[in-house]
Amino acid sequence: MKTKIQSLRDYSNDYHESVVDPEKFWSKIADNFVWKKKWDKVLDWDFETPKVTWFENAELNLTENIFERLLPTHENKTAIIWEPNDSEAAPIHLTYGELFKATCTFANALKAQGVKKGDRVIIYMPMVPEAAVAMLACARIGAVHSVVFAGFSATALADRINDCEAKMVLTSDGNYRGNKNIPVKAVVDEALDTTQFVEKVIVLKRTGEKVEMKKGRDFWWDEALEGQSDRHEAEPMNAEDLLFILYTSGSTGKPKGVVHTTAGYMVFTYYSFLNVFQYDTDDVYWCTADIGWITGHSYIVYGPLLAGATTLMFEGVPTYPHPGRFWEIVEKYKVNQFYTAPTAIRALQVHGTAPLEKFDLSSLKVIGSVGEPINEEAWHWYHENVGKGNCPLVDTWWQTETGGIMISPLAGITPNKPAHASLPLPGVQPIIVDAEGVELTGNNVEGNLCIKYPWPSMIRTTYGDHQRCKDTYFSTYKGMYFTGDGAKRDHDGYLRILGRVDDVINVSGHRMGTAEVENAIDEHPEVIESAVVGYPHEIKGQGIYAFAICDGSDKSPEVLEEEIKQLVRKIIGPIAKPEHVQIVSGLPKTRSGKIMRRILRKVASRDLSNLGDISTLLNPEVVEDIIKGAGLD
Ligand code: PRX
């Protein structure tokens, strides 16, 4: 069996084989890799506990499969191209040989600072090659990395440090983002005031701004590297040893640490990268995500490097110093595969096609989308103006928990259908169920999206709380993984993702739990109760709309609204700041005391049609007040 699918017939055959005999299928893919010890059993699982083991008792190190496996042929091939925020500044090209040495040197530095196999290391860094090196160095020594998006607040960072009891934080002095310079180290300092686990902080000099360095705790990156050898013998890891933890929001409580393990994640990210993007040996591939999200983990760092690809990392933002920056980069490096989010497409669409016309995009072969449903208008704009009508557009559906792309066209192989994630990858068995969990077979059906069989890169647990993993993903529908998304299978059998069906809002492709934002709002001393909902937003996909009761406050609603927005920004980060805050006299509640969010969603969407029956509410009178307050009367 070839690893790379080359035709629709290959796809059908491989898909069939992957369902009939998944163990045989995945063992053949896994045979591409070097193993210190082969597995005893490919898969052991039950979705009841839940317990999933791939490649049982095998031993390996993921980085050996990037370096030792590929160096004989890839030593001088560019592994990472780094384009800095400042378009005039020099880029960096790192070959596989150089990346290997950098990884080994940093691995030795981590060990010298006391990091051992199994220790948790937080990476809170800008988009610089050192961030990728840090991830790989952790994997090399068997430390578990947890990358935290550098836009999160000190409180959010502290919560994550405390949850995984991290021993070390890797960060930078500052972080360039467009025309901003974010003082990252200062955020770390503030976070560390409320945590007790971190022993050492290693700080990369990026912006050169003055930072406080605490003696005995904080070390400069260069200082840590001094005298370290660029050779390092990879730590043998069990297939199911933790590779990383990545925190993500859900519909309840604080963000949870999604756990990914070594072998299954390696096999699936490699396989999905090669097939979805149809990467060819000399291609230059660019994914615009941040390494703080799963897309950055799987499709900037691990998948592409395991496939021996040249992967581009961009430090900046799409509109700095001009709205054609993305296209300038495509031209500069002759990018062949370009992978971004619908929110970026919509934001660039606003500038029209003039910024695109200035640059030569003829190198592009494949364009991709991820993170949220792509609306048809954005799909067509992207396809016609960026892809010039002849690049396959891969609309890739997946999640932090799935580790890799689950449902997507394979570029140039699966016929393109606008706004459809289309068909599952081999090894992925999605089903649509109704509210009772009954599978809706056949075409032209719509319901909740579940996965009924394990795949190698699936979530293993939520760090430190296995029950939460079971409750969140495996309890809604017995014997299935529930995605939290709605989906539709059309008359051709192609899948279209309809968005979240739970209390998760997708803002610019970033997941936000309504409960998380409400908890932040409730920290305001004058807020008695709050409710947060999502509403359709032209650029961001969804925006955050908050309703808050602030009885007895002397402050004007305008002052309270602004204070609440700033508070959320401070507690979680700028991405969680509500677009709208409405001070209300009450929240619509059912007789059992549950907030009726359906009504709030209607108000936030400024659409009062089909408001439904409100007579069963405990307090129907507040609905009129809320509608009036929103200026909709
Ligand atoms: O609702 C789906 C949406 O993003 C959610 C996962 O978010 P996160 O874990 O942050 O991962 C984002 C990057 C993989 C999903 O539950 N989503 C992701 N990709 C798509 C999508 N919705 C529709 N179409 C997509 N292609």
Side-chain angles (χ1 to χ4, degrees):
M1 193 190 82
K2 296 189 300 283
T3 301
K4 200 162 161 192
I5 294 167
Q6 278 160 350
S7 65
L8 206 51
R9 176 189 289 252
D10 278 357
Y11 167 73
S12 302
N13 290 343
D14 289 3
Y15 190 81
H16 180 75
E17 185 180 334
S18 78
V19 172
V20 173
D21 194 346
E23 298 196 29
K24 184 164 155 220
F25 176 83
W26 286 114
S27 71
K28 282 200 240 166
I29 308 292
D31 278 339
N32 283 293
F33 292 106
V34 291
W35 300 84
K36 287 179 190 286
K37 179 175 170 287
K38 276 263 174 118
W39 50 91
D40 297 333
K41 193 169 188 301
V42 178
L43 171 65
D44 192 23
W45 70 288
D46 81 80
F47 276 178
E48 193 64 35
T49 312
K51 179 181 177 288
V52 175
T53 308
W54 281 93
F55 308 108
E56 196 164 272
N57 295 328
E59 276 179 18
L60 73 156
N61 186 288
L62 186 148
T63 68
E64 279 193 336
N65 282 296
I66 296 175
F67 299 119
E68 279 85 343
R69 181 174 74 98
L70 296 176
L71 281 174
T73 47
H74 287 61
E75 170 100 41
N76 298 315
K77 177 173 174 173
T78 302
I80 296 179
I81 300 174
W82 176 69
E83 169 72 10
N85 181 58
D86 174 359
S87 53
E88 305 288 312
I92 291 175
H93 291 247
L94 280 178
T95 63
Y96 274 83
E98 290 163 340
L99 183 61
F100 181 43
K101 285 189 176 160
T103 300
C104 288
T105 314
F106 200 64
N108 286 320
L110 288 175
K111 285 188 102 165
Q113 296 287 350
V115 180
K116 297 184 304 297
K117 179 175 178 175
D119 286 344
R120 274 80 56 214
V121 174
I122 295 275
I123 301 179
Y124 186 72
M125 289 185 69
M127 286 287 291
V128 289
E130 286 85 351
V133 168
M135 291 164 77
L136 295 167
C138 285
R140 187 84 184 168
I141 67 171
V144 180
H145 61 69
S146 185
V147 186
V148 177
F149 174 59
F152 275 123
S153 69
T155 315
L157 176 61
D159 284 347
R160 286 154 175 79
I161 291 171
N162 284 330
D163 188 76
C164 72
E165 303 185 357
K167 194 169 184 181
M168 179 179 266
V169 175
L170 306 175
T171 189
S172 63
D173 48 0
N175 179 359
Y176 292 128
R177 297 277 296 163
N179 55 14
K180 292 196 200 109
N181 176 357
I182 302 152
V184 191
K185 171 66 165 60
V187 180
V188 172
D189 290 340
E190 195 187 330
L192 293 192
D193 283 345
T194 57
T195 60
Q196 46 164 335
F197 303 101
V198 173
E199 292 166 14
K200 300 270 172 73
V201 179
I202 302 184
V203 188
L204 180 78
K205 241 183 211 146
R206 174 64 192 116
T207 57
E209 69 182 62
K210 217 173 134 29
V211 296
E212 261 179 55
M213 296 292 276
K214 190 167 170 189
K215 214 165 174 275
R217 187 194 73 182
D218 302 349
F219 298 84
W220 291 109
W221 203 276
D222 288 348
E223 209 182 344
L225 290 181
E226 242 165 42
Q228 297 300 337
S229 157
D230 60 10
R231 311 219 140 232
H232 177 273
E233 200 57 45
E235 186 73 33
M237 304 295 286
N238 183 281
E240 285 295 341
D241 276 343
L242 268 62
L243 178 64
F244 65 85
I245 304 167
L246 186 57
Y247 285 85
T248 191
S249 298
S251 45
T252 54
K254 287 198 166 168
K256 46 190 173 290
V258 171
V259 168
H260 283 291
T261 58
T262 306
Y265 179 83
M266 172 183 81
V267 170
F268 194 80
T269 52
Y270 157 82
Y271 177 77
S272 52
F273 170 75
L274 265 185
N275 283 300
V276 170
F277 298 101
Q278 290 290 302
Y279 183 85
D280 276 332
T281 315
D282 295 320
D283 289 345
V284 174
Y285 160 89
W286 179 20
C287 165
T288 70
D290 190 284
I291 47 143
W293 313 115
I294 191 69
T295 310
H297 283 61
S298 303
Y299 299 109
I300 293 178
V301 180
Y302 289 116
L305 293 178
L306 285 160
T310 298
T311 175
L312 198 154
M313 238 178 134
F314 173 43
E315 186 184 32
V317 297
T319 48
Y320 178 82
H322 57 79
R325 183 74 193 275
F326 268 5
W327 323 125
E328 183 178 39
I329 298 173
V330 169
E331 177 184 276
K332 183 170 174 186
Y333 299 105
K334 298 192 170 39
V335 170
N336 302 110
Q337 288 92 4
F338 175 73
Y339 188 30
T340 196
T343 188
I345 299 297
R346 289 190 297 261
L348 293 171
Q349 214 179 332
V350 171
H351 299 276
T353 53
L356 277 155
E357 281 150 17
K358 292 196 191 116
F359 301 101
D360 177 8
L361 305 185
S362 61
S363 58
L364 286 176
K365 298 197 282 191
V366 177
I367 54 177
S369 169
V370 60
E372 54 182 307
I374 181 165
N375 49 310
E376 291 201 24
E377 196 199 337
W379 194 99
H380 285 292
W381 190 88
Y382 190 24
H383 187 248
E384 273 145 42
N385 298 299
V386 180
K388 309 295 176 200
N390 55 26
C391 291
L393 197 169
V394 291
D395 176 6
T396 63
W397 174 84
W398 56 297
Q399 309 177 295
T400 305
E401 295 85 345
T402 71
I405 298 169
M406 302 288 278
I407 304 177
S408 170
L410 307 183
I413 291 169
T414 316
N416 253 174
K417 189 175 260 207
H420 283 70
S422 299
L423 300 174
L425 263 68
V428 175
Q429 300 191 35
I431 57 169
I432 297 178
V433 300
D434 67 12
E436 276 69 52
V438 177
E439 181 171 358
L440 303 172
T441 53
N443 292 342
N444 283 321
V445 290
E446 186 178 320
N448 292 341
L449 182 66
C450 293
I451 317 285
K452 69 173 179 194
Y453 197 83
W455 64 102
S457 63
M458 69 182 291
I459 180 176
R460 299 299 197 267
T461 188
T462 45
Y463 193 76
D465 191 352
H466 195 63
Q467 187 63 36
R468 192 165 177 204
C469 174
K470 179 176 174 155
D471 293 345
T472 312
Y473 307 105
F474 297 92
S475 301
T476 315
Y477 303 113
K478 218 172 143 48
M480 295 173 224
Y481 167 84
F482 176 43
T483 65
D485 280 316
K488 185 175 171 175
R489 197 183 301 108
D490 75 2
H491 54 276
D492 291 326
Y494 277 43
L495 291 162
R496 179 173 191 155
I497 310 299
L498 303 171
R500 303 289 306 194
V501 293
D502 53 7
D503 288 327
V504 169
I505 311 178
N506 193 326
V507 188
S508 301
H510 303 316
R511 262 162 77 167
M512 269 300 133
T514 51
E516 204 185 334
V517 183
E518 286 161 8
N519 287 342
I521 294 176
D522 295 348
E523 294 275 314
H524 190 288
E526 279 152 297
V527 170
I528 292 167
E529 197 179 5
S530 66
V532 163
V533 295
Y535 70 97
H537 185 286
E538 268 205 0
I539 308 279
K540 300 180 172 185
Q542 281 189 297
I544 300 177
Y545 197 122
F547 299 85
I549 309 175
C550 303
D551 271 2
S553 173
D554 303 335
K555 293 175 186 157
S556 71
E558 292 73 26
V559 169
L560 286 167
E561 282 161 26
E562 195 47 36
E563 282 182 6
I564 289 171
K565 285 183 186 175
Q566 291 312 326
L567 184 67
V568 177
R569 186 189 161 97
K570 181 160 186 337
I571 294 180
I572 307 176
I575 53 173
K577 187 176 132 187
E579 225 82 33
H580 297 283
V581 177
Q582 187 181 334
I583 308 299
V584 293
S585 58
L587 293 166
K589 294 214 171 143
T590 61
R591 289 190 195 277
S592 59
K594 262 184 83 174
I595 296 173
M596 237 211 221
R597 286 169 194 279
R598 182 174 56 78
I599 293 172
L600 299 177
R601 278 191 213 108
K602 284 278 186 191
V603 173
S605 314
R606 311 192 71 75
D607 164 22
L608 297 183
S609 61
N610 306 321
L611 204 54
D613 182 13
I614 57 167
S615 63
T616 55
L617 289 176
L618 196 63
N619 49 356
E621 69 287 351
V622 300
V623 177
E624 209 167 296
D625 276 359
I626 292 174
I627 292 175
K628 214 184 265 172
L632 293 172
D633 53 335

